[in-house]
């Protein structure tokens, strides 16, 4: 075992403490763009992680092994929140950063950087919120013509957060179709998009979060 792998193995069992200044930036981003308080955002991110990397278990004190997770469909998703190539590109675009890429070197750097993962989850979720706020019609992509963004925007916070969880799992297009048709689609692992609302609720209960 080389030194880097040995170091990762040792460090994987320690709780990750994101520096306060970095979490403040994350919390400020989501409050300004999503209207979520820090506790509400914690319920969202810890709820996603229940499914994405923690084997169905809740924790508000994640260890490094969750951030080092790689998997998902085709093994192409990275980190505690299982972000793929497109999600990272969207997040970088929102943050005004260069696309970090998704080759082996870039993926290794991403899973080794919990601060980047927290920042990119926030930025990607904000991008999904922006997409959900529009009925997109262009030459490369068209939403269901029956989709009315008001059905998302005028929902209460609890419902909107659940829909963002759906979008995290299957993309904003599938979340929009769910609003229009009620068709609860599944991912490649047969997980329903609506199940993400349940994971978020689980975290919210553990954290005593009020959605009002």
């Amino acid at each position: 075992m080389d030194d880097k792998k040995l170091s990762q193995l040792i460090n994987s069992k320690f709780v990750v403490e994101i520096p306060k200044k970095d979490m403040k930036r994350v919390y400020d981003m989501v409050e300004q763009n999503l209207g979520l308080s820090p506790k509400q955002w914690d319920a969202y991110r810890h709820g996603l992680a229940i499914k994405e990397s923690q084997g169905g278990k809740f924790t508000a004190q994640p260890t490094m092994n969750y951030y080092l997770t790689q998997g998902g469909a085709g093994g192409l998703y990275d980190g505690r929140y299982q972000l793929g190539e497109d999600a990272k590109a969207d997040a970088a675009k929102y943050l005004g950063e260069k696309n970090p890429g998704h080759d082996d070197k870039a993926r290794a750097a991403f899973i080794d950087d919990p601060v980047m993962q927290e920042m990119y989850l926030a930025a990607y979720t904000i991008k999904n919120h922006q997409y959900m706020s529009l009925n997109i019609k262009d030459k490369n992509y068209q939403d269901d013509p029956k989709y009315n963004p008001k059905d998302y925007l005028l929902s209460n916070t609890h419902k909107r957060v659940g829909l963002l969880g759906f979008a995290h799992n299957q993309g904003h297009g599938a979340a929009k179709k769910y609003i229009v048709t009620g068709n609860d689609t599944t991912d490649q692992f047969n997980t329903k998009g609506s199940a993400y609302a349940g994971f978020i609720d689980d975290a919210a209960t553990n954290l005593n979060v009020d959605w009002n």
Side-chain angles (χ1 to χ4, degrees):
M1 182 180 293
D2 63 32
D3 290 344
K4 183 175 181 180
K5 288 183 178 179
L6 179 60
S7 177
Q8 283 185 338
L9 179 62
I10 294 170
N11 291 332
S12 69
K13 302 304 180 182
F14 290 94
V15 172
V16 173
E17 296 285 350
I18 305 296
K20 289 183 179 179
K21 65 179 179 62
D22 295 310
M23 281 311 302
K24 183 180 186 305
R25 184 182 174 196
V26 169
Y27 290 143
D28 287 348
M29 283 169 53
V30 298
E31 185 171 10
Q32 292 167 12
N33 292 276
L34 302 176
L36 299 179
S37 70
K39 283 193 71 173
Q40 289 171 338
W41 179 249
D42 284 346
Y44 180 79
R45 67 190 182 96
H46 293 319
L48 294 184
I50 288 172
K51 176 61 179 176
E52 299 292 18
S53 60
Q54 293 168 194
K57 299 177 182 179
F58 167 81
T59 182
Q61 295 183 305
T63 48
M64 188 64 190
N65 57 305
Y66 297 133
Y67 288 96
L68 292 170
T69 300
Q70 291 185 300
L76 297 175
Y77 295 82
D78 297 329
R80 189 181 184 218
Y81 310 108
Q82 292 292 276
L83 299 185
E85 182 174 10
D86 291 342
K88 293 175 191 174
D90 260 353
K93 184 176 181 180
Y94 174 79
L95 293 168
E97 299 178 359
K98 181 181 178 182
N99 187 335
H102 200 63
D103 60 17
D104 289 346
K105 183 178 180 180
R107 293 183 68 189
F110 184 78
I111 63 171
D112 203 37
D113 191 342
V115 172
M116 184 179 183
Q117 291 185 41
E118 295 294 343
M119 204 71 69
Y120 269 52
L121 174 66
Y124 174 57
T125 306
I126 291 167
K127 286 296 292 182
N128 270 335
H129 169 72
Q130 292 174 345
Y131 293 138
M132 294 292 291
S133 301
L134 300 170
N135 188 312
I136 302 171
K137 299 183 181 70
D138 63 37
K139 64 180 181 180
N140 297 316
Y141 174 85
Q142 291 192 351
D143 281 322
D144 188 314
K146 294 181 181 179
Y147 175 68
N148 185 344
K150 289 183 179 180
D151 292 334
Y152 165 75
L153 292 169
L154 297 181
S155 296
N156 61 39
T157 300
H158 180 246
K159 184 174 180 180
R160 277 190 286 110
V161 165
L163 290 168
L164 287 171
F166 197 122
H168 181 91
N169 174 236
Q170 296 181 38
H172 65 90
K176 291 172 178 176
K177 288 181 180 178
Y178 174 62
I179 291 174
V180 172
T181 67
N183 183 20
D184 195 359
T185 50
T186 60
D187 63 16
Q188 292 192 24
F189 298 98
N190 208 34
T191 303
K192 290 183 177 180
S194 66
Y196 277 68
F199 301 133
I200 296 163
D201 282 346
D202 186 3
T205 298
N206 278 279
L207 295 169
N208 194 27
V209 170
D210 184 356
W211 292 110
N212 296 319

